[in-house]
Amino acid sequence: MHDATPLIATLVGGLVLAFVFGALALRLRLPVLAGYLVAGVVAGPFTPGYVADAHIAQELADLGVILLMFGVGLHFSLKDLLAVKAISIPGAAAQMGVATGLGMLLGWWLGWPPAQGFVFGLALSVASTVVLLRAMEERRLLDTDRGRIAVGWLIVEDLAMVLALVLLPAIGGFLGAGHDGPAPTVGALIETVAWTIGKVVVFVALMLIVGKRAIPWVLQTVSASGSRELFRLAVLAIALGVAFGAAHLFDVSFELGAFFAGMMMGESKLSQRAAEETLPLRDAFAVLFFVSIGMLFNPRILVEQPWVVLAACLIIVVGKSLAAFVIVRAFGRPPKTALTIATSLAQIGEFSFILAGLGVSLGLLSSQARDILLAAAIVSILINPLLFVALDRWIARHDADTPDDHPDMAGHTVLVGHGRVGRRVLAELQAVGARTLLIESDEDAVRELRARGDVEVVVGNAAAAPVLAEANLAEARALIVAVSDPFEGGQIVRAARALRPDLPIVARAHSPECVGHLGGLGASEVVYGEQEVARSMFAAAQPKRESTH
């Protein structure tokens, strides 16, 4: 038997432990992220037993972040980014300033040098890409106004941290880092800032001028070859290649490079297919990201410095979020949007760890301060899903208290989802004059449908009981679940069946396994797309019988 290499051992160990503890967390009705983090703690060097290679785990996690940001870029256009710049740029800058100031205040109270307080506070100010996007994707918020603001905010934080990581070594002398030799001059510092900003500008310009045309063209050319394998390889090569090139040629972060690669690929008509091809890899490597965080955690810090860890957590979860809420409300956005942004930012992650590691290497941050930061990060990541659950309940209550726009709705068909299939189902229902109520979570789509005025619409997650109650499922004629994700569809079917045991429920599936899954959860009928296409093609190929007179 061959001895497992560190790469294989880390990959297998991380995924197996993540599965075991993730399933256990789900069984205990805890956030599945908690299970992934515990898996990392078990695989880390601070607990007995199996120890994974931390360096390899971090590199695998970096791949997850790259693919995740690439996926976000696929669904995000330059127009979307520019549409939220008025709130994202000043909002992110102000929120980072508040969090950094609170971190410096905590450092002053603990007697830390000002430089250590500054680096510590700056690390507290930036949210985790993976945690934020996971929460947004689970709630299908990325294509909403709230989601676009959050992603725009994230991009501004990313750019700020790119600048900070480049400038920190240059200004280490000014901040008191223990360097041998003379401290850098102000002129050298200005030159470093200008050079860094210039490289970022060149990269962005190159992507907007060359990448916007070249990337869709490559994708279209490869697609014309008819090879699905080559198409998938092209998507991954572009995502990883642009991210790598951005980091090594322009000193731009992997995440930002991948985001722009995805955004330029989004100009192609094949962007939806590209997103589907990379989804399995994105999910697998995102799991490894949380495992890698757990591996960094030293539980001893909770015993040695519990109050300092608590204070850092309060800055992240309360101070930073409160600042974001006030900023978003100051821009005239509704409470729902402000609370969503505040909740999204109530955690810290990958950039915080990179900054902390650089701070320690420069002598600006002590190892104890880094351990406090890691502990606060893990606690905030564990708390964040619970905050989103509370937010979902508040929104459901708030929407339930809103005057009912359809009080007399009865004998109607409830349609969930207004995607490619949902649009066609809605058109068919309207063609036969069937009274229809649509449930959709995309707020922009809801606004457009309400402006049309030809269908009743409920906004929200159809798996939530308050949303189904608002759709008056008790008096509905049927429920059609047209969402593409079988797991999301299964949650909706199960919730609807619990509320109305006799309701006819029709769901869609992409495979025979999904047919069994949805049927087992209570769907009356499951439409398997490929099977229906095959039947139609067979019927169309049959010779037409001539009528006899």
Side-chain angles (χ1 to χ4, degrees), residues 5 36 42 47 68 83 95 105 161 168 279 306 310 357 391 447 453 522 528:
T5 65
Y36 301 156
V42 171
T47 54
L68 197 68
Q95 173 257 301
L105 193 62
M161 293 308 291
L168 203 59
L279 184 60
L310 176 62
L391 175 65
R447 264 196 299 271
Y528 175 23

Side-chain angles (χ1 to χ4, degrees), residues 268-411:
S268 168
K269 295 178 181 179
L270 298 167
S271 60
Q272 181 64 33
R273 182 181 167 193
E276 292 172 356
E277 294 290 350
T278 57
L279 184 60
L281 274 177
R282 294 205 318 256
D283 286 345
F285 282 104
V287 168
L288 290 174
F289 165 78
F290 293 104
V291 174
S292 72
I293 291 179
M295 290 176 63
L296 298 172
F297 180 53
N298 185 355
R300 287 182 55 192
I301 198 68
L302 295 176
V303 178
E304 296 174 354
Q305 298 285 347
W307 299 112
V308 181
V309 173
L310 176 62
C313 287
L314 289 175
I315 292 174
I316 298 167
V317 177
V318 179
K320 189 167 71 163
S321 298
L322 186 60
F325 178 84
V326 171
I327 292 165
V328 176
R329 289 291 288 147
F331 277 88
R333 303 286 176 157
K336 185 193 297 187
T337 300
L339 285 171
T340 301
I341 303 302
T343 305
S344 301
L345 300 173
Q347 39 77 21
I348 60 172
E350 57 275 8
F351 262 124
S352 305
F353 308 145
I354 296 170
L355 186 66
L358 180 61
V360 171
S361 68
L362 293 173
L364 293 170
L365 196 69
S366 68
S367 57
Q368 185 185 61
R370 179 195 57 197
D371 290 342
I372 292 169
L373 184 73
L374 292 175
I378 290 178
V379 172
S380 71
I381 290 172
L382 286 171
I383 292 174
N384 197 249
L386 303 177
L387 295 177
F388 264 104
V389 170
L391 175 65
D392 291 342
R393 289 176 179 172
W394 181 87
I395 290 175
R397 256 195 332 268
H398 177 268
D399 290 343
D401 292 338
T402 303
D404 194 358
D405 293 332
H406 27 262
D408 60 338
M409 183 66 78

Side-chain angles (χ1 to χ4, degrees), residues 33-99:
L33 299 185
Y36 301 156
L37 290 169
V38 172
V41 175
V42 171
F46 304 106
T47 54
Y50 168 73
V51 177
D53 189 307
H55 180 70
I56 291 177
Q58 183 57 54
E59 291 190 344
L60 293 173
D62 288 341
L63 278 175
V65 179
I66 289 171
L67 292 172
L68 197 68
M69 285 300 288
F70 172 73
V72 174
L74 280 171
H75 299 289
F76 216 81
S77 68
L78 183 63
K79 180 181 177 183
D80 293 332
L81 198 59
L82 294 175
V84 297
K85 70 179 187 302
I87 181 173
S88 294
I89 295 175
Q95 173 257 301
M96 290 182 73
V98 170

Side-chain angles (χ1 to χ4, degrees), residues 85 97 199 358 448 549:
K85 70 179 187 302
K199 284 190 287 187
L358 180 61
E448 181 183 337
H549 299 282

Side-chain angles (χ1 to χ4, degrees), residues 279 481-494 507-511 513-515 517-519 521 526:
L279 184 60
V481 182
V483 297
S484 58
D485 188 334
F487 295 103
E488 183 183 357
Q491 291 177 330
I492 296 167
V493 169
R494 181 168 51 192
R508 62 181 286 204
H510 294 290
S511 68
E513 293 79 14
C514 291
V515 173
H517 170 70
L518 293 167
L521 291 173
V526 182

Side-chain angles (χ1 to χ4, degrees), residues 203-293:
F203 167 73
V204 173
L206 194 64
M207 292 303 296
L208 294 178
I209 296 171
V210 179
K212 189 175 183 179
R213 294 167 176 79
I215 292 176
W217 176 81
V218 170
L219 217 58
Q220 194 71 38
T221 303
V222 173
S223 177
S225 71
S227 171
R228 182 175 181 180
E229 181 180 343
L230 196 60
F231 180 84
R232 186 184 297 122
L233 189 61
V235 173
L236 292 174
I238 291 170
L240 299 176
V242 173
F244 186 83
H248 287 270
L249 298 178
F250 299 97
D251 287 330
V252 175
S253 68
F254 287 122
E255 293 86 350
L256 197 65
F259 174 80
F260 270 94
M263 198 163 65
M264 297 305 101
M265 192 176 289
E267 299 292 325
S268 168
K269 295 178 181 179
L270 298 167
S271 60
Q272 181 64 33
R273 182 181 167 193
E276 292 172 356
E277 294 290 350
T278 57
L279 184 60
L281 274 177
R282 294 205 318 256
D283 286 345
F285 282 104
V287 168
L288 290 174
F289 165 78
F290 293 104
V291 174
S292 72
I293 291 179

